[in-house]
Amino acid sequence: MQQISGNPTAPRLAVLVSGHARGSNLQALIDAHAAGELLTSVVLVIGTHSESAALERARCKGIDTLVISPMKPGRTETEYGDTLLQALSRRNVDGVCLLGYMRRLPLTIVAQFRNRILNIHPSLLPLFGGQGMYGLNVHAAVIDAGVKVTGATVHLVDEDYDTGPIVVQQVVAVNDDDTPETLAKRVLECEHKAIVEAVRLVMETGIEVVGRRVITKPTTTSQEHAP
Ligand code: GAR
């Protein structure tokens, strides 16, 4: 069992995004913090490409942004990992969120931030995950498979694609007339709630990881302690 204690003060989060990320999940975290629903604040957004709507959203809010391209000529996986790690350490971040980040994270980052890295995925994992499963591909596969429910998953990141212990899932019904686009829209609304809840649990409340299971601590109220 691994106990991951939360930070009840003001945890600092970095967000990683790939080139095409719109940044709507990032926006959900920014809005929840501004509304006082989340103590955790996003202090750094790192993109793989400079042209990204997510980076633009961050800049508009005065959040630090960096472009660190894994594709830079001559750059190895190890050097990409070291560059990311340096950026995260310099900002003193407590955790990392992958919000529309379509690569496998360098192993050094996984090791350094174990159980403090979250990834959001637009299906009910372990179904419809893995390499190549992103965006509308996921929803098209869900419809083709004929399943009646899908949803959003936020999980802890381990060494592989979409395989880490699950923190939060939200279920969405698949309608007979759904297209990948209509389904994506409803799932995205759930993603925005799921990511805020998962960040609160992992970064603020604290969790226990028992095998593949994430146990969320019961929140005690003063009433529960009353005689
Ligand atoms: C989200 O739907 C997220 O689940 C997906 O990328 C989108 C990013 O949207 N991630 C994956 O498919 C990872 N396999 P956003 O930029 O609007 O937050």
Side-chain angles (χ1 to χ4, degrees):
M1 181 182 82
Q2 264 188 294
Q3 184 124 11
I4 317 300
S5 45
N7 173 354
T9 54
R12 295 162 64 79
L13 197 66
V15 167
L16 264 62
V17 295
S18 283
H20 299 296
R22 294 158 297 203
S24 73
N25 280 291
L26 166 67
Q27 191 70 54
L29 292 180
I30 295 171
D31 291 347
H33 178 72
E37 293 159 15
L38 208 54
L39 295 170
T40 307
S41 61
V42 178
V43 296
L44 174 66
V45 180
I46 303 177
T48 55
H49 295 77
S50 52
E51 305 305 314
S52 144
L55 287 178
E56 198 43 48
R57 281 185 202 250
R59 287 184 198 114
C60 285
K61 293 288 177 186
I63 296 170
D64 250 4
T65 62
L66 282 175
V67 177
I68 303 179
S69 168
M71 308 302 281
K72 190 173 154 189
R75 176 165 270 168
T76 61
E77 164 96 357
T78 310
E79 205 246 312
Y80 174 56
D82 289 348
T83 310
L84 283 177
L85 204 51
Q86 229 175 45
L88 299 174
S89 310
R90 241 183 240 144
R91 267 72 171 190
N92 230 354
V93 307
D94 301 297
V96 178
C97 266
L98 311 184
L99 303 180
Y101 181 78
M102 307 304 178
R103 309 182 57 85
R104 208 189 328 237
L105 207 52
L107 298 182
T108 41
I109 309 286
V110 177
Q112 185 77 24
F113 286 89
R114 188 165 300 277
N115 293 333
R116 292 194 166 273
I117 309 174
L118 291 167
N119 178 48
I120 189 149
H121 185 77
S123 77
L124 293 176
L125 291 173
L127 295 176
F128 307 106
Q131 190 166 16
M133 274 294 186
Y134 60 87
L136 290 179
N137 293 350
V138 177
H139 305 295
V142 162
I143 291 170
D144 285 350
V147 295
K148 299 298 184 193
V149 290
T150 183
T153 300
V154 184
H155 65 93
L156 298 170
V157 172
D158 63 11
E159 286 75 6
D160 216 332
Y161 280 103
D162 301 331
T163 51
I166 292 167
V167 181
V168 171
Q169 286 189 309
Q170 291 217 352
V171 177
V172 173
V174 180
N175 299 333
D176 292 345
D177 59 353
D178 262 328
T179 63
E181 289 79 8
T182 59
L183 195 51
K185 189 168 180 290
R186 293 205 306 288
V187 170
L188 191 63
E189 284 164 17
C190 280
E191 288 185 45
H192 297 162
K193 295 184 196 119
I195 191 64
V196 171
E197 190 186 341
V199 166
R200 188 182 300 116
L201 287 170
V202 173
M203 304 300 300
E204 300 173 18
T205 316
I207 56 169
E208 280 173 13
V209 183
V210 185
R212 295 202 45 78
R213 302 183 70 200
V214 172
I215 312 296
T216 52
K217 289 182 185 167
T219 42
T220 47
T221 64
S222 51
Q223 249 182 354
E224 281 168 330
H225 286 305

